[in-house]
Amino acid sequence: MSVAHGFRRIGVLGAGQMGLGIAFVSALRAKVPVLLHDRSATQIDKGLSLMDKLLAKDVSKGKISQADATEARERVIVIGPEVGLKGLRDVDMVVEAVSESFAIKQSIFSTLPQEIGPNAILASNTSSISITKIAAATVPQGLSAASEEGMRTAARVVGLHFFNPVPVMKLVELIPGLQTAPNTLESARAFALACGKTVTESKDVPGFVSNALLMPFINEAVMHLEKGIATRDDIDTTLKLGMAHPMGPLQLGKFGIGLDTCLAIQRTLYEGTGDSKYRPSVLLERMVDAGWYGKKNGKGFYEYEA
Ligand code: 3HC
């Protein structure tokens, strides 16, 4: 069943695993043309070949027809690094899915409004960074953030938090910042529903509901390993077989999220709340110091094939 969302065309910033997944469900489920931008041409190529694989798998399993797959693929238009953000001029919404760094998001949200239409929504797939803070980055220099004009773009910023792997996970978490207008929130909700997701809403607190609960769980598992309470496999097996989790926390911390992203989220939680329960474990810090990020670069608590 298709759900009306009213978007003629959207942009997705970032062709990594999250951005690509968002482009995939937007093109296939919401049936909306997607302008996919990444500053790396190699990342775009990797993303598109994953999309081709996912579509071919869904066709071979009889989940979608070949015509659906072809149409979805044709809806994805690449905006390469040479064109940049100005290629997104004609979209009704941009979904930002770049690295989990406020500095990078701040630079995007301060320049993007000049490139896109005055009514376009600016959604962030951030896992933990304040939507209010991201929205504040859109206020043009020299304008008061409290003025009507200063708030005009900030009112169109919203958190649209997808889960990895996006084609499979059924949830989108919706986060309004202090400035988010009610119609921005409702349009973003309609879009997530059209992508086939169930939507929950969270206040703009560090980590929102999802990562404020998930990250201490993963961190505690790393601390159990660090203290030698159990082996990696026994920790993961306990949660998989004892509690029916599809993946153990150590496997999840590397497969789905990446240890570097886990650490970035945990730091945001710790710094944003000052609560010691969110303090990242020393072992996680060291793994990231070593450059071991998990499945995304082949080494973490587990070894992965390239
Ligand atoms: N991309 C797309 N599809 C994928 C995929 C990927 N990376 N990995 C697996 N799938 C698909 C498979 O193709 C298969 O599809 P099918 O039903 O059409 O055959 C389906 O998922 C099931 O895959 P498998 O049978 O190979 O393996 P599993 O039964 O183990 O399922 C899993 C894989 C769905 C990833 C499951 O292990 C799982 O649910 N893991 C937990 C994932 C999770 O918790 N994600 C949330 C991370 S937190 C997050 O994203 C928030 C962020 O802010 C940090």
Side-chain angles (χ1 to χ4, degrees):
M1 191 188 68
S2 68
V3 180
H5 54 70
F7 291 96
R8 289 170 307 126
R9 196 174 293 109
I10 70 155
V12 173
L13 280 190
Q17 53 184 1
M18 296 307 291
L20 192 276
I22 295 166
F24 178 89
V25 294
S26 302
L28 182 66
R29 303 281 165 223
K31 300 189 188 304
V32 66
V34 179
L35 306 191
L36 178 65
H37 172 71
D38 197 291
R39 56 186 185 176
S40 151
T42 316
Q43 190 59 53
I44 292 176
D45 289 346
K46 261 170 81 177
L48 291 179
S49 79
L50 176 60
M51 179 171 289
D52 289 337
K53 256 195 231 157
L54 292 172
L55 288 169
K57 187 210 67 178
D58 281 357
V59 171
S60 74
K61 292 202 155 184
K63 289 185 167 181
I64 59 171
S65 68
Q66 182 56 55
D68 288 339
T70 306
E71 279 172 21
R73 185 62 183 76
E74 284 171 0
R75 286 189 191 107
V76 179
I77 301 146
V78 168
I79 305 293
E82 67 292 345
V83 179
L85 296 183
K86 65 176 183 298
L88 301 175
R89 192 171 302 129
D90 201 20
V91 299
D92 295 327
M93 173 165 70
V94 175
V95 184
E96 167 275 313
V98 304
S99 310
E100 192 63 357
S101 146
F102 178 64
I104 298 175
K105 293 185 195 291
Q106 185 178 33
S107 132
I108 289 173
F109 279 79
S110 61
T111 50
L112 197 52
Q114 287 107 63
E115 307 292 356
I116 60 177
N119 298 316
I121 289 176
L122 294 103
S124 175
N125 179 56
T126 178
S127 311
S128 60
I129 298 172
S130 164
I131 299 301
T132 301
K133 211 165 132 185
I134 292 174
T138 65
V139 179
Q141 271 194 346
L143 272 188
S144 160
S147 68
E148 204 177 305
E149 215 183 328
M151 283 219 279
R152 197 163 290 149
T153 310
R156 293 186 277 114
V157 175
V158 65
L160 197 62
H161 182 204
F162 287 82
F163 293 80
N164 189 34
V166 179
V168 182
M169 304 311 282
K170 296 187 174 72
L171 185 71
V172 165
E173 197 175 35
L174 195 60
I175 308 106
L178 287 185
Q179 310 93 326
T180 307
N183 59 349
T184 302
L185 191 68
E186 291 321 310
S187 297
R189 185 192 309 278
F191 187 75
L193 291 172
C195 289
K197 305 301 181 189
T198 295
V199 177
T200 56
E201 195 176 318
S202 169
K203 287 213 167 116
D204 185 19
V205 296
F208 321 128
V209 168
S210 55
N211 280 318
L213 298 180
L214 177 65
M215 287 301 149
F217 167 60
I218 292 177
N219 199 36
E220 197 59 41
V222 179
M223 287 183 180
H224 272 58
L225 184 68
E226 193 175 21
K227 289 180 197 155
I229 293 169
T231 63
R232 171 199 78 181
D233 290 349
D234 281 355
I235 292 169
D236 276 353
T237 302
T238 301
L239 274 297
K240 276 198 283 192
L241 301 189
M243 287 87 189
H245 287 211
M247 282 182 167
L250 298 172
Q251 195 184 7
L252 182 61
K254 290 178 280 92
F255 144 83
I257 312 169
L259 292 184
D260 51 339
T261 305
C262 264
L263 181 60
I265 298 172
Q266 290 182 12
R267 283 184 177 149
T268 303
L269 285 166
Y270 186 39
E271 285 158 19
T273 61
D275 192 330
S276 61
K277 78 178 173 208
Y278 294 120
R279 182 180 61 77
S281 72
V282 174
L283 179 57
L284 182 63
E285 299 261 12
R286 288 297 164 269
M287 302 284 282
V288 176
D289 286 344
W292 298 343
Y293 303 152
K295 194 172 180 184
K296 69 195 206 193
N297 75 350
K299 187 166 173 60
F301 296 111
Y302 293 75
E303 305 284 332
Y304 298 90
E305 298 210 356

